[in-house]
């Protein structure tokens, strides 16, 4: 109802009734905020007009999650969800406060794990948009308002996306399918395999929801029906050599099984044109081993692959590799997770080194941007681009290194024997993962004691259980098992799949301590340890 002229320092408050003037969110340091994570102590400040309101009077309130407005692809509902607040000491509902000195009041509470469990049921995007409904019965009657007055000032509460390095199922440039997720029968298909529209839709959904194997099953090879084509009746041909619903097609002297290449769905006859076939037979022949194995049967190729597994998977990872090969043989695509594999990767020194860099980055961001966590959030995946003949990874925010991200993914070299006794290759980690393809990091919770905090974060590592031509041009070229794997995937049409490893970690910090202070402390400790060694003493942890 008012018009403002000029250039105000802040957006003017919308005119309310006679009692309430404004309401806004802050963190426990009373810094105004619009983004928070679980575990934080939150404060909501309300200012009253003392011309009409009275100090000492009680007003009522209720906390709500905004579901009536559109937040990208979140679910829009007719009714907002009520979130009940409870007083920790008494266990009673927290729904009223008194107007304090200066006409001010503060509603204070801690965002607990219960809210994280609730958001899974309430919000598709797993983010709350919080506001208060307030009611005051004063000398002019009852007044009901929603605060903050502007939707843009509602508090977004939930897990904070710290980093996304590449995406599962897409190539390094983020433009098409990853080559090691392709499979075929030696007949190369037209590129790109994924349309620009498919890729862009996947990227936008990934920004908001991450990877969902039902929604994104095309990209994990769980379901490729979107790439099938309808067959016109006059183009349908009789099939021969039918055995157990499997058809055979001849490539030179090699007979290749093509399961269900023609089928009926909803009364429509479809053909699997194998549109994820990335390599032609001629291209594979140039690798120099196609004819060597062209007469080998499925049985022999699987024998060679399992022999490779027996040689390179010792100990706890041996049964894990059996499961992975069995899944590959079932040609079902999808996602594979195994707690034994996850634990082995989590404890690897290279993963620990990666996590240390992640923690340093988060500590720096909490020090410098604690009141602006929305600027820390980084939902866009980083993809490869060439700058001055150098490979860089960047997104809409720019180059990773330029914004302080000195980490990308854990890298496991073949013969990294440090602290393990045997290399990644001989332990089975190389065979199970080859290399980490994509990563995600989420800040889940920050619990404070003054400026000290304990932060909990989640790491998701993605890899493709499949091979591409560059793999064969590296070490694997010299091993029959890897060559058999390549042929099973790209000549016999068995589907690769995505491997997922998820784990959480914690670290302690202080809002006044960032990356520079942490590194200075490490340098001082290293210098001290070196001095002790020079005089024949052990460092404190070894005494």
């Amino acid at each position: 109802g008012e018009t403002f002229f000029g250039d105000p320092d802040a957006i003017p408050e919308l005119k309310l009734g006679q009692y309430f003037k404004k309401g806004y969110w802050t963190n426990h340091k009373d810094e105004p905020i619009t983004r928070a994570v679980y575990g934080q102590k939150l404060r909501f400040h309300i200012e009253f007009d003392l011309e009409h309101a009275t100090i000492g009077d009680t007003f009522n309130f209720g906390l709500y999650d905004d579901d009536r407005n559109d937040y990208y692809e979140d679910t829009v509902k007719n009714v907002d969800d009520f979130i009940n607040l409870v007083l920790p000491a008494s266990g009673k509902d927290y729904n009223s406060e008194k107007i304090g000195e200066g006409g001010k009041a503060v509603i204070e509470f801690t965002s607990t794990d219960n809210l994280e469990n609730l958001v899974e049921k309430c919000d598709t995007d797993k983010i709350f948009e919080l506001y208060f409904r307030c009611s005051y019965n004063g000398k002019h009657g009852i007044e009901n308002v929603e605060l903050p007055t502007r939707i843009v000032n509602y508090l977004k509460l939930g897990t904070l996306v710290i980093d996304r390095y590449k995406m599962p199922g897409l190539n390094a440039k983020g433009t098409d399918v990853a080559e090691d997720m392709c499979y075929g029968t030696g007949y190369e298909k037209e590129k790109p395999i994924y349309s620009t529209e498919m890729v862009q839709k996947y990227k936008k959904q990934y920004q908001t929801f991450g990877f969902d194997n039902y929604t994104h099953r095309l990209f994990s090879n769980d379901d490729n029906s979107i790439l099938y084509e309808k067959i016109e009746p006059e183009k349908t041909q009789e099939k021969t050599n039918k055995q157990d619903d499997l058809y055979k097609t001849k490539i030179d002297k090699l007979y290749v099984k093509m399961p269900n290449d023609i089928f009926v769905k909803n009364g429509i006859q479809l053909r699997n044109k194998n549109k994820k076939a990335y390599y032609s037979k001629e291209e594979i022949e140039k690798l120099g081993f196609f004819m060597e194995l062209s007469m080998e049967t499925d049985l022999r190729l699987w024998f060679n692959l399992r022999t490779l597994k027996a040689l390179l998977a010792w100990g706890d990872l041996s049964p894990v590799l059996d499961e992975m090969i069995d899944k590959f043989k079932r040609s079902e695509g999808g996602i594979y997770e195994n707690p034994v594999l996850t634990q082995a990767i989590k404890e690897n020194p290279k993963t620990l080194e990666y996590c240390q860099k992640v923690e340093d980055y988060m500590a720096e961001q909490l020090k410098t941007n604690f009141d602006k966590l929305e600027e820390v959030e980084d939902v866009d995946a980083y993809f490869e681009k060439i700058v001055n003949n150098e490979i860089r990874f960047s997104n809409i925010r720019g180059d990773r290194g330029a914004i302080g991200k000195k980490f990308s993914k854990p890298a496991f070299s073949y013969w990294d024997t440090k602290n393990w006794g045997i290399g990644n290759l001989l332990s089975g980690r190389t065979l199970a993962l080859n290399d980490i393809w994509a990563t995600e990091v989420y800040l889940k919770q920050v619990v404070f004691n003054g400026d000290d905090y304990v932060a909990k974060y989640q790491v998701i590592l993605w890899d493709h259980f499949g091979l591409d031509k560059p793999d064969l041009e590296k070490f694997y070229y010299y091993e029959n098992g890897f060559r058999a794997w390549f042929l099973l995937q790209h000549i016999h049409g068995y589907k690769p799949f995505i491997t997922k490893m998820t784990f959480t970690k914690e670290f302690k910090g202080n809002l006044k301590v960032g990356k520079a202070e942490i590194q200075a402390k490490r340098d001082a400790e290293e210098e001290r340890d070196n001095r002790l060694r020079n005089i024949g003493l052990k460092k404190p942890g070894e005494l």
Side-chain angles (χ1 to χ4, degrees):
E2 298 180 63
T3 301
F4 291 86
F5 296 91
D7 187 15
D9 293 333
I11 298 175
E13 291 293 323
L14 294 174
K15 185 173 179 61
L16 299 172
Q18 299 183 75
Y19 303 133
F20 295 92
K21 291 176 62 178
K22 65 187 297 187
Y24 58 95
W25 291 96
T26 73
N27 55 31
H28 71 282
K29 297 169 70 67
D30 285 335
E31 299 168 324
I33 58 172
T34 58
R35 187 68 166 91
V37 297
Y38 301 114
Q40 283 188 245
K41 183 178 289 185
L42 302 172
R43 292 174 175 169
F44 190 73
H45 302 252
I46 301 176
E47 296 181 6
F48 291 82
D49 186 344
L50 291 182
E51 283 191 27
H52 306 285
T54 303
I55 294 175
D57 279 0
T58 297
F59 68 96
N60 297 311
F61 59 82
L63 179 64
Y64 285 84
D65 173 37
D66 181 21
D67 291 316
R68 292 169 296 169
N69 293 289
D70 187 11
Y71 295 94
Y72 184 51
E73 293 194 21
D74 196 10
T75 303
V76 178
K77 298 183 288 189
N78 294 325
V79 180
D80 291 343
D81 292 309
F82 169 69
I83 299 173
N84 191 42
L85 298 179
V86 177
L87 293 167
S90 64
K92 294 181 179 180
D93 290 346
Y94 182 33
N95 53 24
S96 66
E97 272 288 356
K98 291 186 177 181
I99 302 175
E101 293 296 326
K104 297 180 180 180
V106 178
I107 302 169
E108 184 174 277
F109 66 96
T110 300
S111 54
T112 64
D113 287 339
N114 292 334
L115 286 177
E116 184 175 3
N117 296 332
L118 179 62
V119 78
E120 296 287 333
K121 303 175 183 178
C122 297
D123 281 35
T124 306
D125 66 353
K126 308 298 186 293
I127 298 292
F128 286 116
E129 291 82 22
L130 298 179
Y131 71 95
F132 278 96
R133 293 180 182 175
C134 301
S135 177
Y136 173 51
N137 189 357
K139 56 188 177 183
H140 300 296
I142 297 176
E143 186 172 280
N144 301 304
V145 298
E146 294 180 356
L147 298 172
T149 55
R150 298 181 184 276
I151 295 173
V152 293
N153 294 325
Y154 286 1
L155 180 68
K156 291 189 175 182
L157 172 66
T159 296
L160 191 76
V161 181
I162 296 297
D163 187 50
R164 284 176 171 146
Y165 175 75
K166 297 194 293 188
M167 285 172 58
L170 293 185
N171 61 20
K173 295 180 180 179
T175 56
D176 197 6
V177 64
E179 293 179 28
D180 55 6
M181 284 297 288
C182 292
Y183 60 97
T185 55
Y187 293 103
E188 181 183 10
K189 296 303 175 184
E190 184 179 340
K191 311 292 190 310
I193 291 172
Y194 294 152
S195 68
T196 301
E197 292 74 20
M198 286 181 187
V199 172
Q200 291 305 317
K201 183 177 181 180
Y202 177 30
K203 287 181 177 179
K204 288 182 179 180
Q205 290 175 337
Y206 193 74
Q207 289 175 5
T208 306
F209 313 118
F211 187 92
D212 177 79
N213 194 47
Y214 179 78
T215 305
H216 304 136
R217 56 194 182 276
L218 168 68
F219 302 94
S220 69
N221 288 335
D222 191 26
D223 179 12
N224 292 309
S225 58
I226 193 172
L227 298 177
Y228 296 159
E229 67 171 12
K230 181 179 177 181
I231 302 176
E232 300 298 332
E234 64 272 14
K235 295 183 180 180
T236 304
Q237 299 178 357
E238 291 289 331
K239 287 289 179 179
T240 60
N241 299 325
K242 182 175 181 181
Q243 296 179 357
D244 300 324
D245 295 325
L246 296 176
Y247 297 95
K248 294 182 177 180
T249 185
K250 189 176 181 182
I251 303 178
D252 291 340
K253 298 180 180 180
L254 174 64
Y255 286 89
V256 178
K257 294 181 179 179
M258 296 181 64
N260 303 322
D261 61 342
I262 293 181
F263 59 99
V264 177
K265 184 176 182 179
N266 298 328
I268 301 175
Q269 199 168 31
L270 303 172
R271 183 198 307 274
N272 181 352
K273 289 288 286 184
N274 225 353
K275 290 189 177 180
K276 285 193 179 178
Y278 201 88
Y279 302 117
S280 67
K281 176 178 68 69
E282 292 75 19
E283 189 174 4
I284 294 172
E285 283 179 333
K286 291 179 181 178
L287 293 173
F289 64 86
F290 179 81
M291 295 309 297
E292 175 188 341
L293 296 176
S294 63
M295 296 301 293
E296 294 193 15
T297 63
D298 259 21
L299 182 63
R300 182 58 181 268
L301 292 173
W302 286 113
F303 174 80
N304 287 343
L305 179 54
R306 292 189 186 278
T307 299
L308 175 68
K309 172 262 167 186
L311 292 172
L312 298 185
W314 303 347
D316 292 342
L317 289 185
S318 180
V320 175
L321 264 297
D322 285 331
E323 287 184 6
M324 298 178 82
I325 292 174
D326 288 343
K327 182 176 179 66
F328 180 43
K329 189 173 184 180
R330 292 194 298 270
S331 195
E332 61 191 16
I335 302 294
Y336 176 80
E337 296 182 79
N338 186 290
V340 175
L341 177 62
T342 297
Q343 191 64 25
I345 295 304
K346 179 182 178 181
E347 295 174 351
N348 189 285
K350 292 298 183 181
T351 305
L352 298 178
E353 180 182 325
Y354 165 81
C355 288
Q356 179 179 289
K357 293 178 180 179
V358 169
E359 291 171 10
D360 289 354
Y361 174 80
M362 286 191 286
E364 178 67 21
Q365 297 306 311
L366 288 173
K367 176 190 174 185
T368 57
N369 292 306
F370 180 53
D371 61 335
K372 301 185 290 292
L373 290 180
E374 66 276 8
E375 296 183 10
V376 178
E377 188 152 37
D378 197 1
V379 299
D380 291 318
Y382 286 79
F383 290 109
E384 174 187 305
K385 70 174 184 178
I386 306 299
V387 179
N388 296 326
N389 295 321
E390 292 184 3
I391 296 177
R392 303 280 184 84
F393 280 85
S394 63
N395 66 4
I396 193 171
R397 298 180 68 185
D399 184 83
R400 290 179 65 84
I403 62 172
K405 290 191 175 181
K406 306 300 183 181
F407 58 91
S408 56
K409 62 178 182 177
F412 311 113
S413 64
Y414 307 138
W415 300 107
D416 182 11
T417 59
K418 184 179 180 181
N419 299 323
W420 284 85
I422 56 176
N424 290 312
L425 182 65
L426 297 182
S427 69
R429 282 184 293 277
T430 297
L431 184 59
L433 296 176
N434 179 20
D435 196 4
I436 299 299
W437 179 255
T439 63
E440 296 178 80
V441 179
Y442 298 90
L443 181 59
K444 302 284 288 184
Q445 184 184 72
V446 185
V447 178
F448 283 92
N449 180 13
D451 281 349
D452 294 328
Y453 61 81
V454 177
K456 181 170 71 174
Y457 65 100
Q458 181 186 66
V459 176
I460 303 177
L461 305 177
W462 303 93
D463 192 44
H464 304 150
F465 192 79
L467 298 179
D468 57 17
K469 189 170 71 170
D471 290 330
L472 270 296
E473 293 170 340
K474 291 185 287 188
F475 172 82
Y476 313 139
Y477 176 85
Y478 300 99
E479 173 50 54
N480 255 6
F482 283 107
R483 298 201 293 265
W485 181 352
F486 189 87
L487 289 175
L488 287 167
Q489 179 178 337
H490 295 289
I491 292 296
H492 289 245
Y494 287 92
K495 293 181 183 179
F497 55 87
I498 292 176
T499 306
K500 179 183 179 183
M501 292 142 287
T502 305
F503 57 86
T504 58
K505 292 178 70 70
E506 291 184 351
F507 70 97
K508 296 180 180 180
N510 184 284
L511 287 178
K512 298 178 181 178
V513 177
K515 184 177 180 180
E517 292 83 0
I518 293 172
Q519 189 59 50
K521 182 180 178 181
R522 288 199 192 109
D523 292 342
E525 290 175 348
E526 184 178 355
E527 183 179 353
R528 177 204 62 198
D529 294 342
N530 289 335
R531 287 200 306 268
L532 290 174
R533 291 190 188 96
N534 289 337
I535 61 175
L537 296 177
K538 294 183 177 180
K539 60 184 180 181
E542 298 172 342
L543 291 177

